[in-house]
Amino acid sequence: IFSPQAASFFVSSSNTTGIVSIINSDVPVWSDAGAAFTMTIQTEPFVLNDGGPFTVSKYRLLADTQSSGSTTLTSSTDDYANFTTIGSFDMTQNRKELYSGGYCDGALILKLTHSANTPWRGQAIEIEYEPCDT
């Protein structure tokens, strides 16, 4: 399970008129200036299954519900060199879940990308996984 209290965020913007705020020293909140923007949240590497291989079955984004928009989830297993698209969370749904993820041989890095004029606040991303036999 990833939460802002346990790992760091990297937040970038393609529009310099917005403002990124930090609330409670851990939770980034985007305030838009009336134009579309791209928000990117990138995690540190997750080492699950004590560093052994595992298979991800589900990702759940814990975030507020919006009237429109989606957020794309990508992952890297090669230390930020390449990212593969897992899917997109529908931000209009109360339960934001993706039932995919696949095999991971070690550390897993996640990146969330949201491009719209609908800012959202997130609390965590939950990862359900199964250890693989080695």
Side-chain angles (χ1 to χ4, degrees):
I1 296 176
F2 164 74
S3 70
Q5 291 76 20
S8 64
F9 278 109
F10 172 76
V11 180
S12 66
S13 169
S14 62
N15 181 342
T16 58
T17 61
I19 299 169
V20 174
S21 302
I22 304 299
I23 296 178
N24 296 332
S25 302
D26 292 313
V27 183
V29 177
W30 183 266
S31 298
D32 189 17
F37 60 87
T38 297
M39 177 175 66
T40 301
I41 302 169
Q42 185 168 292
T43 69
E44 296 175 336
F46 293 111
V47 179
L48 306 174
N49 191 30
D50 295 324
F54 58 92
T55 302
V56 176
S57 58
K58 180 170 63 172
Y59 295 95
R60 178 182 294 130
L61 179 63
L62 302 179
D64 59 355
T65 302
Q66 299 297 313
S67 60
S68 65
S70 63
T71 298
T72 302
L73 178 67
T74 57
S75 68
S76 174
T77 58
D78 58 4
D79 202 27
Y80 303 96
N82 298 291
F83 281 86
T84 302
T85 300
I86 295 169
S88 293
F89 293 106
D90 182 346
M91 300 306 289
T92 68
Q93 299 298 308
N94 289 331
R95 293 181 64 94
K96 298 158 192 62
E97 298 176 331
L98 295 175
Y99 291 91
S100 61
Y103 177 81
C104 184
D105 202 16
L108 176 66
I109 298 163
L110 298 176
K111 183 171 21 175
L112 294 156
T113 306
H114 181 74
S115 300
N117 194 14
T118 53
W120 59 265
R121 284 186 263 187
Q123 293 181 318
I125 187 162
E126 294 179 345
I127 304 169
E128 288 187 21
Y129 71 96
E130 293 289 328
C132 295
D133 293 332
T134 55

